[in-house]
Amino acid sequence: MTFNQHLVAAQDTFRDWIGRADRAGRTVVFCHFDADGLGAGALFGRGLPLLGFEDVVVVPSGRSESAFSDEARDRLRTLAPDALVVTDLGVNERGTLEADGVPVLYVDHHRLSGEPEGGAVVSGYDWDPIPCSAWLAYELLEGAAPDVDEFRELDWIAAVGVISDLGEKAPWPLLADAKTRHTAKWLKETVALVNAARRAPKFDAYAALDALMTFDGPKALATAETPEAERLREARDVVKAEVAEARKAAPVFSDRPARGGVAPDDLRFALVRVHSPAQVHPLIAQQWRGRLKGYPVICANTGYLDGLVAFSTRSSRTDVSLPEVYQAIDTGAWNGRWGHGHDQASGGHLPPDVFNGVLDALGFEPDAHVPDA
């Protein structure tokens, strides 16, 4: 299928979900806490009322929360949703509130881990190019909006998600126009501020979400003198300092192939160990990815989550699917709870002993292990 054929099918799925949803009831939008997830969440939060939805509540996921855990389901149930949108949090056969009779729509671009029975799924994972969640959200809402011009005033929110996930040269057709209308400078500044809220030691995803839900454009958000905007700027400064410190860490390398026969025999991993209270591990992994093109780079952070190793992997190799490699590793009770994402971007958080077992399976020697909690 072409991109446009995928999109038409996705818009049909969205309309079907709208037909099952109670527009007069409460609709909860459950989104990831990065700029793409918050962008998608804010688009649904501001766009669904334009489609006649009367009570829309947007909530970001917690710092170490899985959307498909019992804890997440309980949290969602307390909001008493009559309809639910789950975006940028993956798609998993365990589902969320389908068993409660809630019409659930998933809007996502990560590798699927099965489809929940009764859920409506819009996944861009098999599209070419793969759209991020904010891009998908924008296309779905624009296709259903009764007043397209009014909805298009929110294009800057989609641009924030697109630039954050796919870069300034992303193939979203409306990106060039959005950069002209709102200027690339303010869009990039907004991306940095929104992402800093979840990367800083003081997790503050709600401040970023509130900003995307409130302001009329990126310049207004980036230059605001409100307490919320000041919190975002302070978070950005803290993250910048933490990244500068984490850059000092040097990589170590595996010296044998990964077990299980999933990865090519020539595949070796690089590991960068840091200890930071900020979510710097995705940034450090991405930076080393460009310097170590033959190696998937793992950045393991022992300072971000109490008692857990938070880690991100980034790879330039197109012949390797990181989720396939990771999900072939037996981690016991942690199976299925980590190692999702994209072919070239994956990770998770695991107890130190379990993470060290992963390192063993990937071919690292014991001297590469992280210390026990």
Side-chain angles (χ1 to χ4, degrees):
M1 292 175 67
T2 66
F3 186 96
N4 286 338
Q5 288 171 328
H6 278 298
L7 180 57
V8 169
Q11 290 171 334
D12 287 342
T13 298
F14 183 48
R15 291 189 186 96
D16 288 344
W17 174 83
I18 290 175
R20 295 189 293 118
D22 179 4
R23 299 193 204 192
R26 168 168 290 182
T27 300
V28 171
V29 181
F30 189 32
C31 61
H32 191 246
F33 49 68
D34 68 2
D36 183 36
L38 293 174
L43 283 167
F44 280 114
R46 298 179 71 164
L48 286 174
L50 301 179
L51 276 59
F53 285 77
E54 298 177 10
D55 180 12
V56 181
V57 178
V58 186
V59 292
S61 60
R63 195 176 193 182
S64 60
E65 182 179 45
S66 165
F68 307 100
S69 64
D70 290 339
E71 294 78 9
R73 292 188 194 94
D74 290 343
R75 186 158 77 97
L76 292 172
R77 287 189 185 106
T78 64
L79 298 171
D82 297 292
L84 176 64
V85 178
V86 180
T87 184
D88 205 43
L89 288 165
V91 181
N92 192 290
E93 63 184 0
R94 293 194 296 268
T96 49
L97 298 184
E98 289 85 356
D100 295 5
V102 177
V104 183
L105 171 70
Y106 298 88
V107 178
D108 199 79
H109 62 123
H110 302 91
R111 186 185 183 93
L112 279 71
S113 298
E115 294 192 23
E117 184 176 353
V121 176
V122 172
S123 170
Y125 179 74
D126 290 326
W127 301 19
D128 183 17
I130 297 175
C132 64
S133 295
W135 176 351
L136 279 172
Y138 186 90
E139 300 286 0
L140 296 178
L141 290 159
E142 182 191 44
D147 186 336
V148 173
D149 290 337
E150 182 181 9
F151 175 73
R152 283 179 177 169
E153 294 300 315
L154 304 177
D155 66 341
W156 66 275
I157 301 176
V160 166
V162 169
I163 291 171
S164 176
D165 247 37
L166 304 177
E168 292 183 67
K169 298 181 179 179
W172 184 41
L174 298 181
L175 183 57
D177 181 62
K179 290 165 72 173
T180 299
R181 290 179 59 215
H182 305 288
T183 75
K185 170 186 174 180
W186 297 119
L187 286 169
K188 289 191 293 183
E189 179 72 4
T190 298
V191 169
L193 291 171
V194 170
N195 274 326
R198 51 94 174 197
R199 287 176 176 151
K202 182 181 179 182
F203 184 77
D204 203 1
Y206 274 101
L209 175 62
D210 289 345
L212 292 173
M213 290 289 293
T214 302
F215 289 102
D216 292 330
K219 182 177 180 180
L221 187 157
T223 60
E225 297 297 332
T226 63
E228 293 78 12
E230 183 58 32
R231 293 203 326 251
L232 296 182
R233 286 190 284 270
E234 290 174 357
R236 179 192 55 194
D237 292 342
V238 171
V239 171
K240 183 178 180 180
E242 290 291 334
V243 169
E245 183 64 25
R247 281 177 176 163
K248 299 176 184 178
V252 296
F253 301 89
S254 61
D255 61 357
R256 49 189 167 81
R259 294 202 300 264
V262 176
D265 288 341
D266 69 333
L267 182 67
R268 299 293 187 272
F269 280 74
L271 171 68
V272 181
R273 294 165 296 191
V274 301
H275 187 83
S276 172
Q279 192 192 40
V280 298
H281 37 287
L283 299 174
I284 299 302
Q286 180 67 19
Q287 289 172 4
W288 278 103
R289 168 187 178 272
R291 299 171 63 181
L292 301 171
K293 295 187 182 299
Y295 297 83
V297 181
I298 305 168
C299 183
N301 188 351
T302 53
Y304 182 61
L305 297 172
D306 290 342
L308 296 172
V309 181
F311 62 100
S312 293
T313 312
R314 300 292 184 266
S315 175
S316 296
R317 293 187 56 156
T318 58
D319 62 333
V320 176
S321 168
L322 292 174
E324 285 187 8
V325 173
Y326 281 161
Q327 290 169 29
I329 299 172
D330 184 6
T331 52
W334 288 85
N335 286 345
R337 299 169 64 181
W338 68 284
H340 303 290
H342 305 282
D343 287 353
Q344 295 174 292
S346 186
H349 50 269
L350 296 169
D353 60 328
V354 178
F355 179 74
N356 287 334
V358 170
L359 293 183
D360 292 340
L362 294 177
F364 287 93
E365 294 299 319
D367 59 3
H369 287 182
V370 301
D372 291 337

mmCIF file of all heavy atoms in Angstrom, residues 191-227:
data_model
loop_
_atom_site.group_PDB
_atom_site.id
_atom_site.type_symbol
_atom_site.label_atom_id
_atom_site.label_comp_id
_atom_site.label_asym_id
_atom_site.label_seq_id
_atom_site.Cartn_x
_atom_site.Cartn_y
_atom_site.Cartn_z
ATOM 1 N N VAL A 191 10.498 22.672 20.930
ATOM 2 C CA VAL A 191 10.888 21.259 21.049
ATOM 3 C C VAL A 191 11.823 21.066 22.239
ATOM 4 O O VAL A 191 11.653 20.151 23.056
ATOM 5 C CB VAL A 191 11.556 20.767 19.755
ATOM 6 C CG1 VAL A 191 12.196 19.398 19.965
ATOM 7 C CG2 VAL A 191 10.554 20.704 18.610
ATOM 8 N N ALA A 192 12.827 21.920 22.356
ATOM 9 C CA ALA A 192 13.795 21.806 23.451
ATOM 10 C C ALA A 192 13.122 21.988 24.807
ATOM 11 O O ALA A 192 13.408 21.251 25.762
ATOM 12 C CB ALA A 192 14.913 22.829 23.268
ATOM 13 N N LEU A 193 12.224 22.951 24.915
ATOM 14 C CA LEU A 193 11.555 23.210 26.188
ATOM 15 C C LEU A 193 10.629 22.063 26.574
ATOM 16 O O LEU A 193 10.600 21.627 27.731
ATOM 17 C CB LEU A 193 10.769 24.513 26.101
ATOM 18 C CG LEU A 193 11.597 25.797 25.997
ATOM 19 C CD1 LEU A 193 10.694 26.984 25.694
ATOM 20 C CD2 LEU A 193 12.377 26.041 27.289
ATOM 21 N N VAL A 194 9.866 21.578 25.612
ATOM 22 C CA VAL A 194 8.918 20.503 25.898
ATOM 23 C C VAL A 194 9.650 19.227 26.290
ATOM 24 O O VAL A 194 9.268 18.541 27.252
ATOM 25 C CB VAL A 194 8.000 20.265 24.677
ATOM 26 C CG1 VAL A 194 7.170 18.991 24.852
ATOM 27 C CG2 VAL A 194 7.080 21.457 24.473
ATOM 28 N N ASN A 195 10.714 18.893 25.581
ATOM 29 C CA ASN A 195 11.467 17.687 25.927
ATOM 30 C C ASN A 195 12.201 17.833 27.261
ATOM 31 O O ASN A 195 12.360 16.858 28.003
ATOM 32 C CB ASN A 195 12.463 17.345 24.823
ATOM 33 C CG ASN A 195 11.839 16.513 23.731
ATOM 34 O OD1 ASN A 195 10.962 15.685 23.980
ATOM 35 N ND2 ASN A 195 12.282 16.714 22.497
ATOM 36 N N ALA A 196 12.654 19.035 27.582
ATOM 37 C CA ALA A 196 13.380 19.237 28.845
ATOM 38 C C ALA A 196 12.503 18.918 30.047
ATOM 39 O O ALA A 196 12.997 18.449 31.081
ATOM 40 C CB ALA A 196 13.885 20.674 28.928
ATOM 41 N N ALA A 197 11.212 19.141 29.929
ATOM 42 C CA ALA A 197 10.311 18.911 31.062
ATOM 43 C C ALA A 197 10.310 17.465 31.516
ATOM 44 O O ALA A 197 10.152 17.175 32.699
ATOM 45 C CB ALA A 197 8.892 19.339 30.680
ATOM 46 N N ARG A 198 10.497 16.533 30.588
ATOM 47 C CA ARG A 198 10.506 15.126 31.004
ATOM 48 C C ARG A 198 11.923 14.599 31.207
ATOM 49 O O ARG A 198 12.117 13.556 31.801
ATOM 50 C CB ARG A 198 9.754 14.276 29.978
ATOM 51 C CG ARG A 198 10.158 14.452 28.504
ATOM 52 C CD ARG A 198 11.178 13.465 28.015
ATOM 53 N NE ARG A 198 11.416 13.591 26.576
ATOM 54 C CZ ARG A 198 12.009 12.666 25.847
ATOM 55 N NH1 ARG A 198 12.445 11.565 26.395
ATOM 56 N NH2 ARG A 198 12.212 12.876 24.553
ATOM 57 N N ARG A 199 12.920 15.315 30.698
ATOM 58 C CA ARG A 199 14.296 14.856 30.856
ATOM 59 C C ARG A 199 14.927 15.335 32.155
ATOM 60 O O ARG A 199 15.874 14.729 32.644
ATOM 61 C CB ARG A 199 15.139 15.342 29.677
ATOM 62 C CG ARG A 199 14.857 14.597 28.387
ATOM 63 C CD ARG A 199 15.641 15.159 27.227
ATOM 64 N NE ARG A 199 15.427 14.379 26.011
ATOM 65 C CZ ARG A 199 15.487 14.853 24.790
ATOM 66 N NH1 ARG A 199 15.765 16.137 24.591
ATOM 67 N NH2 ARG A 199 15.277 14.074 23.746
ATOM 68 N N ALA A 200 14.440 16.422 32.703
ATOM 69 C CA ALA A 200 15.042 16.992 33.913
ATOM 70 C C ALA A 200 14.833 16.068 35.105
ATOM 71 O O ALA A 200 13.896 15.262 35.126
ATOM 72 C CB ALA A 200 14.445 18.365 34.194
ATOM 73 N N PRO A 201 15.694 16.162 36.113
ATOM 74 C CA PRO A 201 15.514 15.330 37.315
ATOM 75 C C PRO A 201 14.136 15.478 37.940
ATOM 76 O O PRO A 201 13.573 14.504 38.446
ATOM 77 C CB PRO A 201 16.617 15.839 38.247
ATOM 78 C CG PRO A 201 17.678 16.356 37.331
ATOM 79 C CD PRO A 201 16.932 16.947 36.173
ATOM 80 N N LYS A 202 13.574 16.692 37.909
ATOM 81 C CA LYS A 202 12.211 16.889 38.387
ATOM 82 C C LYS A 202 11.273 16.705 37.199
ATOM 83 O O LYS A 202 11.067 17.595 36.389
ATOM 84 C CB LYS A 202 12.030 18.293 38.984
ATOM 85 C CG LYS A 202 10.640 18.525 39.546
ATOM 86 C CD LYS A 202 10.498 19.928 40.107
ATOM 87 C CE LYS A 202 9.073 20.149 40.640
ATOM 88 N NZ LYS A 202 8.902 21.545 41.160
ATOM 89 N N PHE A 203 10.698 15.518 37.093
ATOM 90 C CA PHE A 203 9.826 15.160 35.982
ATOM 91 C C PHE A 203 8.605 16.076 35.967
ATOM 92 O O PHE A 203 7.878 16.175 36.952
ATOM 93 C CB PHE A 203 9.404 13.699 36.142
ATOM 94 C CG PHE A 203 8.573 13.155 35.022
ATOM 95 C CD1 PHE A 203 9.158 12.794 33.822
ATOM 96 C CD2 PHE A 203 7.207 12.985 35.176
ATOM 97 C CE1 PHE A 203 8.398 12.273 32.783
ATOM 98 C CE2 PHE A 203 6.434 12.467 34.154
ATOM 99 C CZ PHE A 203 7.029 12.107 32.959
ATOM 100 N N ASP A 204 8.378 16.775 34.862
ATOM 101 C CA ASP A 204 7.352 17.815 34.836
ATOM 102 C C ASP A 204 6.604 17.796 33.509
ATOM 103 O O ASP A 204 6.415 18.834 32.867
ATOM 104 C CB ASP A 204 8.009 19.182 35.061
ATOM 105 C CG ASP A 204 7.033 20.220 35.603
ATOM 106 O OD1 ASP A 204 5.859 19.873 35.822
ATOM 107 O OD2 ASP A 204 7.448 21.370 35.802
ATOM 108 N N ALA A 205 6.150 16.608 33.111
ATOM 109 C CA ALA A 205 5.486 16.484 31.819
ATOM 110 C C ALA A 205 4.219 17.319 31.747
ATOM 111 O O ALA A 205 3.852 17.819 30.667
ATOM 112 C CB ALA A 205 5.157 15.014 31.538
ATOM 113 N N TYR A 206 3.546 17.501 32.895
ATOM 114 C CA TYR A 206 2.304 18.273 32.871
ATOM 115 C C TYR A 206 2.554 19.741 32.504
ATOM 116 O O TYR A 206 1.711 20.378 31.874
ATOM 117 C CB TYR A 206 1.586 18.178 34.209
ATOM 118 C CG TYR A 206 0.688 16.960 34.311
ATOM 119 C CD1 TYR A 206 1.101 15.831 35.003
ATOM 120 C CD2 TYR A 206 -0.555 16.932 33.688
ATOM 121 C CE1 TYR A 206 0.285 14.711 35.090
ATOM 122 C CE2 TYR A 206 -1.379 15.825 33.768
ATOM 123 C CZ TYR A 206 -0.953 14.719 34.470
ATOM 124 O OH TYR A 206 -1.759 13.616 34.550
ATOM 125 N N ALA A 207 3.708 20.284 32.908
ATOM 126 C CA ALA A 207 4.008 21.670 32.540
ATOM 127 C C ALA A 207 4.126 21.812 31.028
ATOM 128 O O ALA A 207 3.633 22.770 30.429
ATOM 129 C CB ALA A 207 5.296 22.135 33.226
ATOM 130 N N ALA A 208 4.785 20.836 30.399
ATOM 131 C CA ALA A 208 4.921 20.869 28.940
ATOM 132 C C ALA A 208 3.571 20.658 28.264
ATOM 133 O O ALA A 208 3.242 21.338 27.284
ATOM 134 C CB ALA A 208 5.920 19.806 28.490
ATOM 135 N N LEU A 209 2.792 19.710 28.771
ATOM 136 C CA LEU A 209 1.474 19.475 28.194
ATOM 137 C C LEU A 209 0.587 20.706 28.323
ATOM 138 O O LEU A 209 -0.088 21.103 27.357
ATOM 139 C CB LEU A 209 0.811 18.279 28.886
ATOM 140 C CG LEU A 209 -0.628 17.972 28.465
ATOM 141 C CD1 LEU A 209 -0.700 17.610 26.994
ATOM 142 C CD2 LEU A 209 -1.215 16.867 29.335
ATOM 143 N N ASP A 210 0.584 21.309 29.498
ATOM 144 C CA ASP A 210 -0.231 22.516 29.691
ATOM 145 C C ASP A 210 0.155 23.617 28.713
ATOM 146 O O ASP A 210 -0.707 24.347 28.204
ATOM 147 C CB ASP A 210 -0.093 23.019 31.126
ATOM 148 C CG ASP A 210 -0.775 22.112 32.139
ATOM 149 O OD1 ASP A 210 -1.580 21.258 31.715
ATOM 150 O OD2 ASP A 210 -0.494 22.242 33.345
ATOM 151 N N ALA A 211 1.459 23.738 28.443
ATOM 152 C CA ALA A 211 1.914 24.767 27.502
ATOM 153 C C ALA A 211 1.379 24.493 26.098
ATOM 154 O O ALA A 211 0.905 25.397 25.406
ATOM 155 C CB ALA A 211 3.435 24.838 27.494
ATOM 156 N N LEU A 212 1.451 23.233 25.659
ATOM 157 C CA LEU A 212 0.950 22.889 24.331
ATOM 158 C C LEU A 212 -0.561 23.037 24.242
ATOM 159 O O LEU A 212 -1.108 23.329 23.174
ATOM 160 C CB LEU A 212 1.354 21.459 23.975
ATOM 161 C CG LEU A 212 2.852 21.209 23.756
ATOM 162 C CD1 LEU A 212 3.115 19.727 23.573
ATOM 163 C CD2 LEU A 212 3.369 21.992 22.543
ATOM 164 N N MET A 213 -1.238 22.843 25.348
ATOM 165 C CA MET A 213 -2.703 22.951 25.361
ATOM 166 C C MET A 213 -3.168 24.398 25.457
ATOM 167 O O MET A 213 -4.319 24.709 25.146
ATOM 168 C CB MET A 213 -3.271 22.163 26.548
ATOM 169 C CG MET A 213 -3.156 20.657 26.422
ATOM 170 S SD MET A 213 -4.283 19.973 25.180
ATOM 171 C CE MET A 213 -5.876 20.289 25.955
ATOM 172 N N THR A 214 -2.276 25.310 25.873
ATOM 173 C CA THR A 214 -2.694 26.675 26.208
ATOM 174 C C THR A 214 -2.323 27.706 25.158
ATOM 175 O O THR A 214 -3.142 28.554 24.788
ATOM 176 C CB THR A 214 -2.083 27.092 27.562
ATOM 177 O OG1 THR A 214 -2.509 26.173 28.565
ATOM 178 C CG2 THR A 214 -2.515 28.498 27.933
ATOM 179 N N PHE A 215 -1.063 27.652 24.680
ATOM 180 C CA PHE A 215 -0.560 28.744 23.845
ATOM 181 C C PHE A 215 -1.018 28.609 22.399
ATOM 182 O O PHE A 215 -1.366 27.526 21.920
ATOM 183 C CB PHE A 215 0.964 28.805 23.932
ATOM 184 C CG PHE A 215 1.466 29.291 25.260
ATOM 185 C CD1 PHE A 215 1.957 28.399 26.211
ATOM 186 C CD2 PHE A 215 1.416 30.638 25.578
ATOM 187 C CE1 PHE A 215 2.406 28.847 27.443
ATOM 188 C CE2 PHE A 215 1.855 31.097 26.803
ATOM 189 C CZ PHE A 215 2.348 30.201 27.741
ATOM 190 N N ASP A 216 -0.984 29.736 21.686
ATOM 191 C CA ASP A 216 -1.451 29.792 20.309
ATOM 192 C C ASP A 216 -0.344 29.611 19.285
ATOM 193 O O ASP A 216 -0.603 29.637 18.080
ATOM 194 C CB ASP A 216 -2.159 31.127 20.049
ATOM 195 C CG ASP A 216 -3.467 31.247 20.820
ATOM 196 O OD1 ASP A 216 -4.098 30.202 21.071
ATOM 197 O OD2 ASP A 216 -3.841 32.371 21.187
ATOM 198 N N GLY A 217 0.889 29.465 19.736
ATOM 199 C CA GLY A 217 1.983 29.272 18.805
ATOM 200 C C GLY A 217 3.289 29.076 19.543
ATOM 201 O O GLY A 217 3.386 29.345 20.747
ATOM 202 N N PRO A 218 4.335 28.636 18.846
ATOM 203 C CA PRO A 218 5.602 28.354 19.517
ATOM 204 C C PRO A 218 6.302 29.594 20.058
ATOM 205 O O PRO A 218 6.946 29.518 21.112
ATOM 206 C CB PRO A 218 6.430 27.664 18.428
ATOM 207 C CG PRO A 218 5.837 28.150 17.145
ATOM 208 C CD PRO A 218 4.377 28.299 17.414
ATOM 209 N N LYS A 219 6.202 30.713 19.374
ATOM 210 C CA LYS A 219 6.853 31.924 19.889
ATOM 211 C C LYS A 219 6.207 32.358 21.201
ATOM 212 O O LYS A 219 6.901 32.719 22.165
ATOM 213 C CB LYS A 219 6.783 33.058 18.871
ATOM 214 C CG LYS A 219 7.487 34.328 19.352
ATOM 215 C CD LYS A 219 7.466 35.423 18.292
ATOM 216 C CE LYS A 219 8.176 36.674 18.802
ATOM 217 N NZ LYS A 219 8.163 37.766 17.776
ATOM 218 N N ALA A 220 4.872 32.307 21.250
ATOM 219 C CA ALA A 220 4.176 32.682 22.478
ATOM 220 C C ALA A 220 4.577 31.769 23.631
ATOM 221 O O ALA A 220 4.777 32.229 24.759
ATOM 222 C CB ALA A 220 2.664 32.627 22.256
ATOM 223 N N LEU A 221 4.732 30.485 23.338
ATOM 224 C CA LEU A 221 5.132 29.536 24.380
ATOM 225 C C LEU A 221 6.563 29.798 24.835
ATOM 226 O O LEU A 221 6.849 29.868 26.035
ATOM 227 C CB LEU A 221 4.991 28.113 23.841
ATOM 228 C CG LEU A 221 5.207 26.940 24.802
ATOM 229 C CD1 LEU A 221 4.492 25.694 24.256
ATOM 230 C CD2 LEU A 221 6.683 26.615 25.007
ATOM 231 N N ALA A 222 7.478 29.954 23.879
ATOM 232 C CA ALA A 222 8.899 30.063 24.204
ATOM 233 C C ALA A 222 9.251 31.372 24.891
ATOM 234 O O ALA A 222 10.247 31.445 25.627
ATOM 235 C CB ALA A 222 9.737 29.903 22.935
ATOM 236 N N THR A 223 8.473 32.417 24.676
ATOM 237 C CA THR A 223 8.807 33.730 25.241
ATOM 238 C C THR A 223 7.907 34.118 26.408
ATOM 239 O O THR A 223 8.047 35.218 26.943
ATOM 240 C CB THR A 223 8.701 34.818 24.155
ATOM 241 O OG1 THR A 223 7.369 34.848 23.638
ATOM 242 C CG2 THR A 223 9.684 34.538 23.024
ATOM 243 N N ALA A 224 7.008 33.241 26.809
ATOM 244 C CA ALA A 224 6.060 33.572 27.877
ATOM 245 C C ALA A 224 6.781 33.819 29.195
ATOM 246 O O ALA A 224 7.825 33.219 29.482
ATOM 247 C CB ALA A 224 5.047 32.446 28.047
ATOM 248 N N GLU A 225 6.226 34.686 29.993
ATOM 249 C CA GLU A 225 6.802 35.000 31.307
ATOM 250 C C GLU A 225 5.990 34.363 32.435
ATOM 251 O O GLU A 225 6.034 34.817 33.571
ATOM 252 C CB GLU A 225 6.840 36.528 31.501
ATOM 253 C CG GLU A 225 7.725 37.250 30.494
ATOM 254 C CD GLU A 225 9.192 36.836 30.607
ATOM 255 O OE1 GLU A 225 9.619 36.454 31.724
ATOM 256 O OE2 GLU A 225 9.900 36.884 29.588
ATOM 257 N N THR A 226 5.265 33.317 32.124
ATOM 258 C CA THR A 226 4.458 32.640 33.134
ATOM 259 C C THR A 226 5.336 31.717 33.979
ATOM 260 O O THR A 226 6.426 31.304 33.552
ATOM 261 C CB THR A 226 3.367 31.798 32.461
ATOM 262 O OG1 THR A 226 3.991 30.776 31.671
ATOM 263 C CG2 THR A 226 2.491 32.667 31.568
ATOM 264 N N PRO A 227 4.882 31.346 35.183
ATOM 265 C CA PRO A 227 5.647 30.399 36.020
ATOM 266 C C PRO A 227 5.882 29.064 35.312
ATOM 267 O O PRO A 227 6.953 28.469 35.451
ATOM 268 C CB PRO A 227 4.769 30.236 37.258
ATOM 269 C CG PRO A 227 3.965 31.483 37.333
ATOM 270 C CD PRO A 227 3.711 31.883 35.917
#
